[in-house]
Structures are given as structure tokens and as C-alpha cells.
Amino acid sequence: MPKENGGPSAAEGIKAASDGLRGTLASEAADGGTHFSESARQLLKFHGAYEQDDRDARRVRKDAGEEPAYSFMLRAKLPGGVLTGRQYQVFDALAGRYGNGTLRVTTRQDFQLHGILKGDLKGTIAAVNATLVTTLGACGDVVRNVVTCPAPVRDRVRDEVLALATRLSSHLLPATRAYHEIWLDGERVAEENGEPAVDPLYGTRYLPRKFKIGFGYPDDNCCDVHSNDLGFLTVRDGDRLAGFNVLVGGGLGATHGKPDTYPRLASPLAFVRPGGVCRVSEAVVAVHRDYGDRSNRRHARLKYVIDDHGLPWFRARVEAHLGAPLEPPRDVDVTEIHDHLGWHEQGEGLWFHGVFVENGRIRDTPELRLRTALREIVTRVRPEIGVRLTSQQNVLLTGIAERHRTMVEEILADHGVADPARVLPVRRWAMACPALPTCGLALAESERALPGVLETLERELERLGIAGSELTVRMTGCPNGCARPYTADLAFVGRSADRYTVYVGGTMLGTRLGVAHRDLVRRADLVAAAVPLLESYRANRLPNERFGDYVHRAGLAGLAAPEAP
Ligand code: SRM
Ligand code: SF4
């Protein structure tokens, strides 16, 4: 039975009464106001948009008796992070026309536009759809963007996996036509013409919580497959795709002071052949739908269903949905990860170039005109160019002919974009979530703070003579884990204004969680908190050993006196 200890949460009531995610969205979107009602705001997420307000301006506006400076974040769903050059141009133009002049590459290969005013929301969503991209299901209690490695290397298996990820993403979209009616001026149609009365997968209450799916490779886990509710780890048979190990119950969100919430890596459940991926996904989603916690949203992710009932119970439920037993998982491990930056051959005389985007923010500053550079490249390198977004918040420019390589390099250099080979590994692998001023849940700075923290860290690494070491540093403004801090070698998780918990001992492969090392550390002291461990690492590491692996092997207790989390 689904868990509803304290009765269903308010969100459940809003979904159930929404008439297929319609609610009052259509009338409120057109009412000329600056923001939505609470129930419409909740439903809006399913359509890909979040109501936010400028948190930098909150106090001043409040003191002046003004309402918050409302605006909207719109997230476009890009399976595998794939865009055409033309689609990129549309997003770039929308960022300028309706957004705050920036494009944000997310940790799940999507684009986010920030700063859209309510009156422009419909025009922006319509323009995104006109370029054949949807925002439906980019947020909300449904299956989110399906992630996978976007590198266009010539490999039949990778082509198949990307196609499968894209198909699965469409297959699991909500069946409602509300999105078309509200944003694209579609007519409401009767059941027999399109929309079933009840969504065949999601029912009337949709899922208890968000649901994430990823496809990874043992030799390239760049999308952190174990952090997903449902992961597919590719199994090869020579140069053929044999199938996937199905991983279940990954998720990183946690709440400070609530021990029944925690990050968890996905556990191997089964092996499935490519033809079975859609059915297994539906079955796993259905078990979450039926047994997830609908009273406590903090405890509603699939990971808690699995931990509360056990993996054998969960397997039996999935098998019951499938009407067939699952095959046991194969013996496969993740051994490598790549960031795909710089130049790489992609076959047929074409190249792709991975551009480093600090914290995924594409924008122009006086020193670094990244947005203009990318726009110029995409406009001038025609017709083949494509754009792909990575789960490390970077951009791959794909389909570049040999004759265009110099031009691409020159445009990047002319606009101040660093050659990734010149960016120190610690910065190149770093990630921060947006946090302040847009995220309503941020407790501390993240995207705006990490570059400065990294400057100090780079200096320390240079002083210690280990600046060439690869390590992942990740920062988030709260424990929800949007930049996946818990799998990083070193992470700073926002605790309260200017205070962070320092985590160490994860692995950039995404297969091990770090542990809390120090708590309530001020931003100015974050690097100092890690220095004793880095010194010990420098003195005692094994050849090619990464920082997180060293801390894990040596044991935190033996390295320093940690504080309680
Ligand atoms: Fe996230 C909520 C940004 C990836 C776990 N996340 C949010 C919201 C929407 C804040 C809110 O609910 O009001 C943030 C919007 C901030 C803003 O101003 O843009 C937000 N999450 C992001 C992005 C943009 C971070 C980034 O640096 O790119 C990522 C968008 C991904 C996408 O395109 O879909 C993003 N979020 C993640 C990830 C990483 C991943 O999926 O690989 C996680 C951890 C994995 C997981 O889901 O467990 C993650 N976000 C959360 C949670 C915690 C959920 C939980 O289980 O408790 C929240 C809070 C919530 O849902 O209530 C959250
Ligand atoms: Fe916001 Fe927290 Fe996610 Fe950062 S980790 S974007 S602060 S919810």
C-alpha cells in the first residue's frame, strides 16, 4: 500500500484536483499579474517553469512595502543534451529577449532560462516548442530529462543508447494535452481524439515525487548514473549492445537535521536487453507511483521505498508488473569518466570541441564573452554544427569540419574563452548549483561563490605541488544536492548564510559517497579546512591515486579529527 501516514500532502490534493495538470493555469497565465496562486505555482512546475523572486532584492523591496521581484525559470528538456545549431540559436535569442541574458547548462543536460516575466512566459514556451523542444515534465512529479553521455564519438553502441534515451524520454511524457492547450493555444479535445481521462502511467496524482533516469557507460560515467532513481549501465558484447544493468534507488537530496533523508547511490537490480528498457522503466515508475510516500515529500523518492521495503521486495513488485522474472545483473563496474573538453575526432572527417563553461553559465562579461562566442560559432560554422550539453555543465560543439577548426579556435580566443587544456583540472571538473539569487531553497551562496573559493584552492594546490591532480570540487547552496556534491572528492554544502559542511572522500566516478569532514565552516575558511587532508594526500598518496580515493583508503579518522555533521 502507498504510504500516507499523516494523510496525503497538500501537493497530492493539488495534483488530484488539477484535471490533468490544468488547474487555473490558463486563466492565471493571462491575468496580467506578476505571479501565480500557490496551486497554479505547483502545477506550473510540471510544465517546466518555476516561479522565483530575486532574493538579493527581497529585503529592500519588503522594507519599501513592495512585492517580491517575481520572475520565472524555464527549463527545457533535452534528452542526452542534444540540440541542433538552429535550436541553440533560438535559446540564445530567448535568453536575450525574455530572460536575464544568460543561458544555464544544468547538471542534467538541460537549458534553463532565468528572469522571465510572467507576461512573457507563454511567448517563451511557445518559441521553445516552435523549435521542437519541450519543457513539459522538465520539473514536477514525473520522469525528468533522461541523461546520457553526449559525446558524439563514432560507436554503434553509443548511437543506440542515445536513441534509446531519447525514445524513453518521449515515451514517459505525461499524456495530458493541458500543455498544448495552455501554452500553444491548442483546442481541448475529447478523450477519443487524444487525451485519456486518466494518464495510463501517472494516474491522476502523478508520481509521489520527481523521478530521474540516466544511461551510463562503465568506461565513461560522465552522467553519474548511480545518482538516478533508475539507471541503465551499458553492457557490451564485443561491439554490440548486449543490454544494461538496471540500477535503482539513486538520489542525493537530504535535509539538514532529518536523519530519515540521505543521499543514496543506486543498487543493481537486474540485467535487461535493449528491447526491454521501456517496459522495465514503466514497471519501476509504477512501483514508485503505487508505493511512494504521498504524505511526506521529503521522504517520497524511490530510494526510500527501496530502503523501507528491501530490494528483494522491490524486485518482486517490478516482476509482478512485468509478469516475468528479471535476469540477475551482469558483472560490470564503472572504471572511467571523461569531461569531453577540447578537440576530439568524431568520425567521417568531423570533430567535436568541448568548451569549458564555468558552472554552466553561458553569458558575456567584459573579460569573457562566452555567449557571443558560441553564438558566432554556431552561426558561422554551418550547416553541420550541433550543440550538446554535458552533465558536467559544459558545451560540446559537434560536427565541425577540419577546415573550420581554426576559425572556432580563433573565435573562442578572441572572446576570452580559455583553451580547456589551460584550465587547471580542479576548476575544469568543478560544479556549483545556481543557489542565490534565484533558488528559493538556497541557504548559502554557491555559483557566485565557487570561482573565488577555487582561486584560493588553486593557490594551495600549486603551493603543495599537486595542481595537476584531477579532483572534483562541488558546491551547493543547500543539502538538496543539485550539483551532486556527495559523490565529489571534495564538496561544500550550504548550511546557513556563509556556513557550509565540508564533505570528502567521494569519487569522481560517481560510485561512492563522501563523508562529512567539518561542519559550519565559513566560506573564507573552506579551503583551510581541506588543507591538512591535501597535505597528507600529497605525502602519502599512491601513484595516480585521486584525492577522494586517498581519503577513503586512509580513513578520515586517521587523517584529522572530524567534527560531527
Ligand atoms: Fe535540483 C530543487 C536546480 C539537478 C536535487 N533544483 C531544485 C530547484 C528547482 C529549487 C526549488 O525546488 O525551488 C533548483 C532551481 C534553482 C535555480 O534557480 O535554477 C534546482 N537542480 C537544479 C539544477 C539547475 C542545478 C544545476 O546546477 O544545474 C539542476 C537541474 C537539472 C535538470 O535539468 O533537471 C538540478 N537537483 C539536481 C540534481 C542532480 C542530478 O539530478 O543529477 C539533484 C540530486 C539528485 C536527486 O534528484 O536526488 C537535485 N533539486 C534537488 C532536490 C532534492 C530532491 C530530494 O530528493 O529531496 C530539490 C528540492 C526538491 O525537489 O524539493 C531540488
Ligand atoms: Fe537550490 Fe539547493 Fe539545488 Fe542549490 S542545491 S539549486 S541551493 S535546491
Side-chain angles (χ1 to χ4, degrees), residues 433-435 439-444 446 476-483:
C433 71
C439 179
L441 305 179
L443 303 170
S446 179
T476 55
C478 83
N480 279 322
C482 298

Side-chain angles (χ1 to χ4, degrees), residues 342-364:
W343 285 107
H344 304 270
E345 263 189 285
Q346 69 175 66
E348 290 160 11
L350 297 175
W351 295 79
F352 73 92
H353 184 63
V355 180
F356 169 64
V357 183
E358 187 149 49
N359 300 324
R361 186 70 68 174
I362 299 176
R363 67 170 159 206
D364 284 344

Side-chain angles (χ1 to χ4, degrees), residues 31 53 138 206 236 413 435-436 457 475:
D31 71 7
D53 71 279
Y206 295 82
R236 290 174 187 260
L436 295 164
L457 183 57
M475 187 175 219

Side-chain angles (χ1 to χ4, degrees), residues 45 50 52 73 75 104-110 112 114 138 144-145 209-210 212 223 227-229 250-254 297-298 301 303 359 393 432-435 438-441 480-484:
K45 297 179 187 175
Y50 260 77
Q52 303 183 318
M73 173 272 272
R75 187 181 290 164
R104 182 63 158 63
V105 182
T106 75
T107 52
R108 295 191 69 77
Q109 301 179 286
D110 287 326
Q112 279 186 188
H114 285 96
R144 304 289 189 88
N145 192 38
R209 211 57 166 85
K210 58 178 76 166
K212 297 182 173 178
C223 72
S227 297
N228 288 270
D229 295 88
L252 301 182
R297 287 182 65 77
R298 288 188 198 284
R301 296 290 294 273
K303 59 186 173 182
N359 300 324
Q393 303 173 322
C433 71
T438 53
C439 179
L441 305 179
N480 279 322
C482 298
R484 297 190 290 274

Side-chain angles (χ1 to χ4, degrees), residues 3 7 9-12 141 208-210 229 251-264 288 292-305 308 440-441 443 478-480:
K3 203 170 163 202
S9 66
E12 292 301 311
D141 297 342
R209 211 57 166 85
K210 58 178 76 166
D229 295 88
L252 301 182
T255 307
H256 283 308
K258 300 251 184 247
D260 63 335
T261 67
Y262 45 84
R264 183 189 191 278
H288 183 221
D293 189 335
R294 290 195 184 256
S295 59
N296 177 3
R297 287 182 65 77
R298 288 188 198 284
H299 186 261
R301 296 290 294 273
L302 183 69
K303 59 186 173 182
Y304 303 120
V305 176
D308 288 352
L441 305 179
L443 303 170
C478 83
N480 279 322

Side-chain angles (χ1 to χ4, degrees), residues 25 28-29 31-37 40-45 48-54 67-75 94 98-100 102 112-122 124-125 139 183 361 438:
L25 273 176
E28 288 196 39
D31 71 7
T34 54
H35 58 285
F36 286 89
S37 64
R41 193 161 49 235
Q42 295 308 327
L43 294 176
L44 191 61
K45 297 179 187 175
Y50 260 77
E51 185 174 293
Q52 303 183 318
D53 71 279
D54 180 354
E67 69 169 24
Y70 292 112
S71 71
F72 294 80
M73 173 272 272
L74 184 67
R75 187 181 290 164
L94 289 173
Y98 296 125
N100 63 1
T102 75
Q112 279 186 188
L113 295 161
H114 285 96
I116 303 168
L117 296 177
K118 181 159 168 273
D120 293 330
L121 201 48
K122 189 165 173 172
T124 315
I125 294 178
C139 315
W183 310 109
R361 186 70 68 174
T438 53

